[in-house]
Amino acid sequence: MSKYLTIDELNIDNQDMLVATLQNDLKFFGEKGLVVESHAVPMTLFDWHGKARPEQAEVVIRRQFVGPAANDLGFVRGESGNFRPIISAADNFNYGPTWRDELSQKYGERKYEQDMYQSGFQLDSKEIQQDGTTAMTFSRMGGF
């Protein structure tokens, strides 16, 4: 049985936006039609054999989408309100620090877009720069 790692919380506190980011902005192995589960209460995670683990999470990506012989990935809300990834040692190869950094960046972009929209601005363009950063251009909605 794979050991799940202890990973620090990410600066991610919006569950719906986390689900949207995982579902739309990141790459996973496995079957097409990735389904990211979102639950009000933590749900059990399963290992690569399909056996229940003691770990539970509110946001779950089931093993068939994670990769061959993979365990479920999860995100559990911590006391601070931020989510902490639950990733097995075996799956950390594909979903390690670089992947978590990409998740945080893509989440941040979504959050910024939403904040700008709520402030009366619309996204005009979004371009990935050579250094991997994203440049976004906004304009005030209604042309004013």
Side-chain angles (χ1 to χ4, degrees):
M1 182 179 328
S2 292
K3 176 185 179 217
Y4 275 91
L5 301 173
T6 302
I7 301 170
D8 293 335
E9 289 181 351
L10 303 174
N11 191 18
I12 294 176
D13 61 0
N14 183 306
Q15 187 165 336
D16 292 335
M17 198 172 295
L18 170 59
V19 169
T21 303
L22 290 166
Q23 186 133 357
N24 300 308
D25 300 337
L26 296 172
K27 293 185 172 98
F28 289 89
F29 294 99
E31 301 173 12
K32 292 188 177 214
L34 172 68
V35 174
V36 179
E37 298 175 17
S38 181
H39 304 279
V41 296
M43 302 301 289
T44 299
L45 299 180
F46 294 89
D47 71 11
W48 67 285
H49 291 293
K51 294 181 181 171
R53 299 280 313 200
E55 293 84 6
Q56 295 184 328
E58 287 94 340
V59 176
V60 179
I61 304 164
R62 295 294 176 195
R63 58 195 169 89
Q64 68 263 31
F65 302 111
V66 177
N71 302 285
D72 289 349
L73 293 182
F75 294 84
V76 64
R77 189 179 296 276
E79 289 182 23
S80 70
N82 288 327
F83 283 89
R84 180 177 54 82
I86 301 174
I87 300 172
S88 73
D91 296 319
N92 194 54
F93 179 78
N94 291 315
Y95 303 100
T98 301
W99 183 84
R100 292 190 298 271
D101 287 348
E102 182 181 5
L103 169 60
S104 293
Q105 178 184 345
K106 297 293 184 186
Y107 173 88
E109 290 171 14
R110 276 187 177 270
K111 187 159 180 54
Y112 186 68
E113 285 179 52
Q114 181 185 51
D115 291 348
M116 291 296 287
Y117 181 80
Q118 290 174 344
S119 297
F121 293 87
Q122 65 189 16
L123 180 65
D124 291 331
S125 68
K126 185 174 182 178
E127 184 179 319
I128 307 297
Q129 305 296 304
Q130 282 185 327
D131 65 358
T133 60
T134 303
M136 292 184 262
T137 305
F138 295 87
S139 63
R140 184 162 292 284
M141 288 187 280
F144 298 104

